[in-house]
Amino acid sequence: AVVSTQSTGDISQLADEILANTEADTYWCLCKLLESLHDNYTFAQPGIQMKVHDLRRLVNRIDKQLDEHLERNVVEYLQFSFRWMNNLLMREMPLSCTIRLWDTYFAEPNGFSHFHLYVCAKFLTRWSKLIKSLPDFQAVMLFLQSLPTSKWTDDEMSELASEAFQLKCLFPKAVTTVAGTT
């Protein structure tokens, strides 16, 4: 029954015990997700504001030329990364990649609240050379709002997560919490 459920998505084929366990696991995963993102969705969205600020600081440290190119072209991080932080990159890649990424977030301590920053930094710097070749604000923003990820697979997600983990190890205090601590 489990094999056909995986291929059809029909949960009515699951045994009651498996369904109850799945429901409980889903509930606790959702609780973990919501708890870690609470500050993103309160008044003035301080969690997102801090993550956007932290992203700029981190990119400045790992790819100063990219950061300077964005600044020269008056591209504010808020203009493109707010969506990344608010939607956890869901709108930037295929659903299968989002599921793979979120699975990593659930496995990583503070994945949604902290590790996501490192993923976003690697996500942006992945296209550093191309972005730096773009001549102006409009070209940069058009590219950042329609990144070439529609054909991404698990391979690209694994690479992105691996590079983000390396970045986290190199810069473990890059994340600022709303309370102002790292």
Side-chain angles (χ1 to χ4, degrees):
V2 173
V3 173
S4 70
T5 299
Q6 288 177 340
S7 61
T8 65
D10 183 5
I11 64 171
S12 68
Q13 303 296 317
L14 291 174
D16 288 344
E17 182 180 344
I18 292 173
L19 188 58
N21 288 338
T22 302
E23 183 179 3
D25 289 347
T26 302
Y27 171 81
W28 289 113
C29 284
L30 180 62
C31 286
K32 181 179 178 180
L33 168 66
L34 294 175
E35 181 180 311
S36 68
L37 297 176
H38 177 357
D39 289 329
N40 288 10
Y41 306 104
T42 56
F43 179 73
Q45 299 172 307
I48 291 177
Q49 299 288 335
M50 280 303 232
K51 286 177 179 75
V52 169
H53 174 75
D54 289 345
L55 178 61
R56 177 159 194 196
R57 282 185 21 237
L58 183 56
V59 170
N60 181 274
R61 291 183 72 186
I62 63 174
D63 193 339
K64 191 168 187 66
Q65 291 178 334
L66 174 60
D67 182 56
E68 289 171 348
H69 181 74
L70 293 173
E71 186 175 337
R72 250 189 327 276
N73 287 287
V74 197
V75 176
E76 297 291 330
Y77 281 73
L78 193 62
Q79 294 167 319
F80 65 89
S81 68
F82 180 88
R83 183 169 92 173
W84 298 1
M85 302 304 175
N86 193 38
N87 298 308
L88 300 167
L89 294 174
M90 280 181 63
R91 294 178 59 192
E92 313 310 317
M93 58 190 65
L95 179 60
S96 61
C97 292
T98 300
I99 291 169
R100 166 65 171 84
L101 180 61
W102 284 30
D103 184 58
T104 301
Y105 289 166
F106 278 116
E108 184 70 24
N110 300 309
F112 288 96
S113 61
H114 290 65
F115 190 62
H116 181 65
L117 169 71
Y118 300 101
V119 171
C120 287
K122 290 311 293 184
F123 191 63
L124 176 61
T125 59
R126 178 180 207 94
W127 294 286
S128 178
K129 185 176 181 180
L130 177 61
I131 293 169
K132 289 186 285 193
S133 74
L134 298 173
D136 57 23
F137 173 84
Q138 182 177 353
V140 172
M141 285 304 296
L142 286 172
F143 178 75
L144 289 172
Q145 291 175 347
S146 185
L147 293 164
T149 58
S150 64
K151 301 215 187 304
W152 272 27
T153 66
D154 191 55
D155 291 341
E156 286 85 5
M157 293 314 301
S158 294
E159 185 179 326
L160 181 65
S162 175
E163 291 172 352
F165 185 77
Q166 291 172 359
L167 195 57
K168 176 186 167 196
C169 291
L170 289 171
F171 301 98
K173 296 184 185 253
V175 178
T176 305
T177 62
V178 175
T181 60
T182 55

